Amino acid sequence: MIAYDELEKKWQKAWADSNAFEPEPSDKPGMLITFAFPYVNSPMHAGHMKTYSLTDSYARYMRMRGYNVLLPMGFHMTGTPILGMAKRLAANDAELIDDFIKVYAVPKEEIAKMGDPLYLAKYFAVDTEAGMKEAGLGIDWRRKFTTIDPQFSKFIEWQFGKLNKLGFLTQGTHPVGWCTTDNSAVGGHDTKGDIQPKIEEMIAIKFKDTQSDVYFPCGTYRPETIYGVTNLFVNDKTTYAIVSIGKYQCYLSKEAVGMLSNQIKVDVTGEIQGSELLKRKAVNPVTKEEVPVLPGFFVKPDVGTGIVMSVPAHAPFDYAALERLKASGYPVPSMEYKKVIDLDGKAGAIGKSIDPSMLSGAKGKVEHPEIPALAYLELMNANANAMDDVIERATKAIYKEESRYGVMAAGKYSGKPEAEARELIKKDLIGANEAIAIYIIANEEPVYCRCGTRVIVKVVSDQWFINYGDKKWKEKVRKSLPKTRILPEKLRPTFEYLVDWLDLRATERAHGLGTPFPLNPSHIIESLSDSTIYMIFYTFSDILNSNKVSAEQLKPEFFDYVICSQGDGGKVASSTGIDLSIIQKCKESFEYWYANTSNHSGADLTNNHFIMYLFNHVAVLDEKYHPKQIVPNGLLLYEGQKMSKSIGNTMPIRSLIVKYGADPIRFSSVATADLDTETNFEESTINSVKQKNEFIEETIERLDEMLAAELVHIDYWLYSKLNSKIQKATAALDTISFRSAYNEIYYNTMTELKWYFERGGSNEMVVRELLEKFTLMLGPAMPHVAEEFWHMLGKSTLVAKEKWPTPDKSMTGGTVEVVEDTIRKTMDDIDAVMELTARMPANKGKSASLIRIIIADDWKTEAYNALAEKKNISKALAELKDANKETASKFLSQFASKIMTLEKIEPVRCDEMAKAFSQAISYISKRYKTSIAVEKESESKSQRASRAVPGKPSIEVVW
RNA sequence: GCAGGGGUGGCAGAGCCUGGCCAAAUGCGACGGGCUUAGGACCCGUUCCCUUUAGUGGGUGCGAGAGUUCAAAUCUCUCCCCCUGCACCA
C-alpha cells in the first residue's frame, strides 16, 4: 500500500528545501506559465483542480524539457462577490452559513468574523494557498500578491493611464440590470437563485389616440406584423399613467413607468383607468388605419409598456383573446384576420420544420392555413380556448418558423424574408419617431435582487468603458493573433470571431473591492478589467517585496521604464527614490520572463478574460511581449455531473486530497481528458490509478529477483515500445494533450509490462530502464509518486529537476513490434484452429500433441509487396527475380480480390521471424499444453506449409 | 435569433484534417471461465445479427437524407437534434 499522505509531505518538503520552484533569470530559455488566479470568496474545489493540475503538470514537463519555468500565483479580490458574501454572512443568511459549514467546512468561529469582507478574502486566500501546496503545485510563492495590494493598485492605475492616453477609454450610456432599492447594478450572483438577468431590446410602436394627442406605445418583438394589426389590447383592470416622453404624450401602465423611467425620461402628467381606454380608437402609424382598443386577458401591466398591438393572424394569444371576446358577447367590431407573412415554398406546410417535441409531441391537422396563429394551435390539437402554456408553445413555434421561412406578404417590404423586413421596419419606425427602443428583462420568470426588489433595466449614463470596438486596436489584435499559439488549435475560429465581437465594455463600478478608477476615483475598476495583464506583475513582485518598495514609490515612470523601456533609469530612480539597481533588476526580470509566456485558464473565461488579455497586451506592450500561447481547458465533471452547490458535489479540494491523495486526484483530473473535453472525475478512476501504482511499486521491488541475461526478442520488443512511447508522449505533451500522452505513458506501459512478464520476460536491465524512464515521464502528472519511485529505484536526485527522457531511435521502428504482433495474432489463429479441430470426430476425447508453426518463405514477402505496389499480378511477377513464377502466381492470386486495398507490409526475414517464434516456444507450449515446433516453409515437410503467408504463419495441429 | 463546438457500439470516448489495414482504439458495464472459504482485486475469453467440422463467409452499421468515389464514420450538400457563449459578471 502506498501511503499518499506521508509521501506527499516528504516530497513537498524536499522540493521546498531545494527551492525547486523558485527560478531566477538565467542563460536557459525562460518560460512564464500562468493560470487564472482564484477569486477567493470560497475555498478551492475540485473544479479548480482541472486547470491547476493541468497547468502545473505542463510547467513540470517544460521544466524537464530544459526550460527555466516560472509558475507564480496570486489572489483575486476585486469586485462585488466577496462584498456580497460578507454582507450576507453579516446578516446571518442561514442558507449561506449552512453551505459554509457543510460544504466548505469553515469553522463556526471563523464565519462569525467573515462579515468583514477583507477577513473573508484573506481567510480563503490562506486556505487556497495551503490547498495548492498540498496538491503539490510547483509555485514560486515569493511572488504572491493580491489585487487589492497597494503596489498592485499602482500597476493597475498605470495601465489605465496608458489606455487613457491611447484614447481607449470612453464615456457613454449603457443598459444594466438594476435594483432600485440597493441602487446598484445587479449581476447573476446578486439575484435570488443566482439568475442572470437577460436584457433584451424591444420596440414600442406608437399608435395615436384619435381623441387626443396621446399615444399608445405597443411593445413588440415583431414590428413587421404591423400590417396585420386589427386592434390594440390593454388590461382593463389596471390603471394607466399619462406621461410625457420627450415631446410626446403616451399611455403607460404604472408598472411600465417604474421600469422605463430608469431608461428614458418619463414625466407622469395624469392617469386613466384601463377600462376608460376601451372607448378609444388608435391609428396604425404605418397603414393609417383606425383600430379599436379591446380588453386582453393576457396583457400584463408589468411586461413591456402594458399595451400591445393585436395581430390575430400571426399571434396565437391575440387570436385567442379576440375569439374569446366574441364568444363572451363583447361587442367586437368585425375585422379581417389578415395574413401578412407567407411561408416560403421551400419550407412547405405549416409546422413542417418544427420538432414535434416543441409541440408536446402532438401533430394535429391544420384546417386553417389562412390564419397561421390558429393553424399552429391546430397542430397541437388546440383552439382559442387552449391553456396559456399551449398558446405559449404555439407562439414560439410560429415565431421560429416564420422567422426562418417567412416572407412578407404585405407592405413596402413585400417579398422580403421576414427576418430582414423586421430589422428594416424597426429602423424605419425609430427613424420616423414612430417607435422607441426599450429594454426589458427578458427572463421567463421575473428576476429578484437578493434584497427582494424586482430587477429592472437601467440605462446608466456617464459610464466609463474600455473601447474594445476601436478599429485600429482591433486591427492590431487581428495582426497579432496568428502569432499566438492557441491550444487546442480548434478554438482559433472562436477567438477570431471574438476579436470582432468585443465592443465597449464597462470598466468601473460603484461598489466592490479594488483599485479606484483614476477618472472617477469614487468608483473602482471592474474586476475583469484589472486582470488582463496582471501576469507582468509576477515578474518583479518578489523584487519589490524583498526590497520593501512602497506603493508611493511606484510612480507611472517606474512601469513605463521597466515594462515599456520608456524614459531613463537614472531619472526614474531619482523621482521614485527606488535604487537604480533594483529598477534594473525589475526590468531585466520582466524582459527575461515575458519573452516566452503561456496563459492557462478554464474555457469558460474565453469570451472575457482571454479575449481581454489579448487586447490589453497588444495595447500596452511591445510586440516582443505579446501573448505567445494561450490554453483554455475544458471543465471538470464530478461523477458525470456538473459541479454545483445545489447538487452538493462541490468538494473542497483539501478534503478530497485527504480522502484520495493528491496524485490520484491530479492524475484523474488531468490524464483522462484532452484540453477540449470535459474531464469526468470519478472515484473509480482514482481507485484504478491507485491499484496500478501499486503494481509499479511491486515491480520495482521485484527487480532484485530478475536476472541480467542476454537480450532476446521480447526484450527488444519492450525496448521498442518504450522508445516509441517516449516519442509519442513527447509529441502529445507538446500540444498539452495529456490524455493521449498518459494513455501511452501510463496505461499502455501497464499493459506492456504485463505482457512482457506473461511472455516470460525477466531481464533486470531492460525492466529497470523502462521503469526509470516511465517514472520520469510520470513526474509531471503524479509528481509525489514519481519522486518516491525514483527514490526506490536507487536515485538520489529529484524527478522535478531531472531531464525528460529522449527516445533512442535505433531501438524503435524496425521489425520487432511487427514480429511480436505476428506472434500474438498467430496465437489467436491457433485458438481458432484448436477449437475447430477439437470438434472433428477423429479427435474426440484426445488432446493435441504438437503444434507446428510454419513461417512463410522470404520470396512471398517480396511478392506480396510487389503486388501491393503494382496492383496487378503480372506486373508484380515481373518484379520477382528468383521465384518460381508458377508457384508465385498461384500465391498472388489468393489476394486478387483485395488487390485494390492491399498495402505494403513491413518485410521481416523468415530467419528473424523463426528465431522470435523459437524464443517464444516455452510460452506458447505452456499456454496450449502441447509441444511446439517452429519450422521454415522451405524446410518443412508439412502439407500445410505452403499455406504460410507473410505475417501469418501456417499452423498445423497434430492430435 | 446570432456565433462556435458537437451527434460514433449498453455507457463514456478515440478515429474524421491526410478516404481503403474500421464491425471501429481504450476504459466502464454485462456475460462465461480461472483464482479464492466467499467477496473484492487480479487473469483469460465473449459482448451488432446470422453463418462456419482448419484458422471463415454474409448482412446491417458511425444523427437523417442525397451526392462524389473502385472504395465513405472519414470528402461535398441539405435537414434534424444537442451543448456552450451572447457581456459589464466572477
Side-chain angles (χ1 to χ4, degrees), chain A residues 236-300:
Chain A
D236 56 323
K237 297 190 181 63
T238 194
T239 309
Y240 284 79
I242 301 171
V243 301
S244 58
I245 298 173
K247 49 186 179 174
Y248 295 93
Q249 296 266 102
C250 290
Y251 301 114
L252 272 186
S253 68
K254 284 194 149 175
E255 290 82 347
V257 172
M259 295 188 290
L260 294 181
S261 58
N262 284 292
Q263 300 179 25
I264 43 181
K265 199 163 161 19
V266 176
D267 293 315
V268 178
T269 57
E271 63 174 50
I272 184 168
Q273 289 305 309
S275 51
E276 191 61 25
L277 292 175
L278 297 178
K279 298 169 185 159
R280 310 298 174 91
K281 284 190 163 190
V283 181
N284 182 323
V286 175
T287 64
K288 309 299 178 201
E289 282 172 303
E290 276 187 22
V291 295
V293 177
L294 301 173
F297 73 91
F298 63 93
V299 177
K300 297 191 185 88

Side-chain angles (χ1 to χ4, degrees), chain A residues 45-52 635-636 643 651 653:
Chain A
H45 58 74
H48 294 110
M49 264 314 266
K50 170 82 187 269
T51 305
Y52 295 159
L635 301 175
L636 186 116
M643 290 206 295
M651 299 290 281
I653 198 65

Side-chain angles (χ1 to χ4, degrees), chain A residues 19-36:
Chain A
N19 301 344
F21 309 121
E22 298 184 352
E24 293 296 336
S26 73
D27 301 338
K28 282 206 274 183
M31 186 170 198
L32 170 62
I33 298 178
T34 51
F35 30 24

Side-chain angles (χ1 to χ4, degrees), chain A residues 362 364 374-387 390-391 394:
Chain A
L374 173 56
Y376 284 86
L377 286 168
E378 286 171 344
L379 273 179
M380 298 168 73
N381 293 313
N383 57 29
N385 295 316
M387 305 285 283
V390 173
I391 305 180

Side-chain angles (χ1 to χ4, degrees), chain A residues 548-619:
Chain A
K548 309 238 180 317
V549 176
S550 71
E552 290 66 39
Q553 290 175 298
L554 292 174
K555 297 179 175 166
E557 55 265 37
F558 169 82
F559 297 110
D560 280 337
Y561 180 70
V562 168
I563 298 169
C564 299
S565 290
Q566 287 164 1
D568 174 78
K571 281 185 190 157
V572 173
S574 59
S575 81
T576 60
I578 309 171
D579 254 28
L580 182 58
S581 65
I582 294 170
I583 297 171
Q584 293 297 6
K585 207 175 162 200
C586 290
K587 184 168 161 60
E588 281 157 25
S589 182
F590 164 73
E591 288 171 359
Y592 175 77
W593 292 113
Y594 234 70
N596 188 20
T597 57
S598 182
N599 185 25
H600 300 237
S601 176
D604 52 332
L605 296 186
T606 303
N607 68 348
N608 44 47
H609 168 67
F610 271 122
I611 197 73
M612 290 165 75
Y613 167 85
L614 291 175
F615 269 81
N616 286 38
H617 272 80
V618 168

Side-chain angles (χ1 to χ4, degrees), chain A residues 91-238:
Chain A
N92 274 317
D93 183 320
E95 192 194 336
L96 187 66
I97 290 176
D98 200 51
D99 276 348
F100 267 56
I101 295 171
K102 285 199 184 132
V103 183
Y104 296 163
V106 178
K108 270 196 183 133
E109 61 275 18
E110 292 291 343
I111 294 176
K113 299 180 207 157
M114 284 183 180
D116 173 8
L118 278 180
Y119 188 86
L120 183 146
K122 280 178 186 157
Y123 177 88
F124 285 123
V126 168
D127 185 69
T128 300
E129 181 173 339
M132 288 177 164
K133 285 177 179 162
E134 285 159 13
L137 303 184
I139 290 168
D140 184 348
W141 288 106
R142 299 172 304 165
R143 299 165 190 268
K144 166 181 74 172
F145 62 85
T146 83
T147 56
I148 57 172
D149 291 354
Q151 285 90 339
F152 182 75
S153 278
K154 289 293 165 189
F155 169 70
I156 294 301
E157 278 172 28
W158 167 79
Q159 182 197 345
F160 274 77
K162 274 277 217 196
L163 292 176
N164 195 30
K165 265 186 229 153
L166 289 163
F168 293 153
L169 299 181
T170 58
Q171 232 175 345
T173 59
H174 185 64
V176 292
W178 189 262
C179 170
T180 49
T181 305
D182 288 355
N183 220 11
S184 75
V186 177
H189 52 266
D190 303 317
T191 62
K192 283 193 176 168
D194 289 332
I195 310 291
Q196 177 70 38
K198 270 196 258 174
I199 296 173
E200 257 178 33
E201 201 186 55
M202 200 185 205
I203 173 169
I205 304 176
K206 292 187 278 196
F207 284 61
K208 189 175 169 297
D209 183 354
T210 53
Q211 293 171 35
S212 69
D213 281 333
V214 186
Y215 288 82
F216 290 88
C218 304
T220 181
Y221 288 115
R222 302 186 70 186
E224 71 283 5
T225 58
I226 187 89
Y227 299 104
V229 173
T230 55
N231 62 287
L232 303 189
F233 281 124
V234 296
N235 186 316
D236 56 323
K237 297 190 181 63
T238 194

